[in-house]
Amino acid sequence: MDDTDRWRDMASAPRDGSRILVTIRPSEQGPAEVDLAYWSNGDQFAAEGWRASDSSPGHIIEYAEPELKCWMRMPSANRTSMPSPWEGDDDQELYGSGI
């Protein structure tokens, strides 16, 4: 397990605009979830705070501090983390139809 595979307290989350994974606490609206979020210093559309990464002008999805439980860095997308290609002989096995 490297540094990206660890959940941390929100107090230590980066507030530099970088995207991070956050755990949203369970509520009356549903169970706990994971979302991609970032800290915004605020603009003409909303005040500073945590926003879902799929927010857009006119449709800002904000999270209040108490809604977020913890955070994790985004996993890296380097070539060393890529899985090995499938090397099986039977294509039916690949799609599950060989069962």
Side-chain angles (χ1 to χ4, degrees), residues 1-48:
M1 181 163 72
D2 67 16
D3 196 40
T4 61
D5 296 334
R6 198 177 73 206
W7 290 103
R8 299 177 177 94
D9 185 81
M10 285 304 295
S12 65
R15 294 180 183 232
D16 60 1
S18 58
R19 263 94 173 133
I20 59 173
L21 295 174
V22 294
T23 295
I24 303 163
R25 294 179 188 277
S27 68
E28 302 84 37
Q29 287 78 30
E33 294 182 89
V34 173
D35 197 4
L36 185 61
Y38 68 97
W39 178 262
S40 172
N41 289 323
D43 53 27
Q44 68 267 30
F45 303 107
E48 76 174 7

Side-chain angles (χ1 to χ4, degrees), residues 54-86:
D54 56 354
S55 292
S56 60
H59 185 69
I60 304 295
I61 301 168
E62 294 180 296
Y63 294 115
E65 261 327 301
E67 288 181 274
L68 303 177
K69 182 175 184 172
C70 53
W71 73 281
M72 178 189 296
R73 294 196 187 282
M74 290 291 297
S76 66
N78 60 31
R79 299 290 292 171
T80 60
S81 66
M82 297 291 283
S84 300
W86 186 71

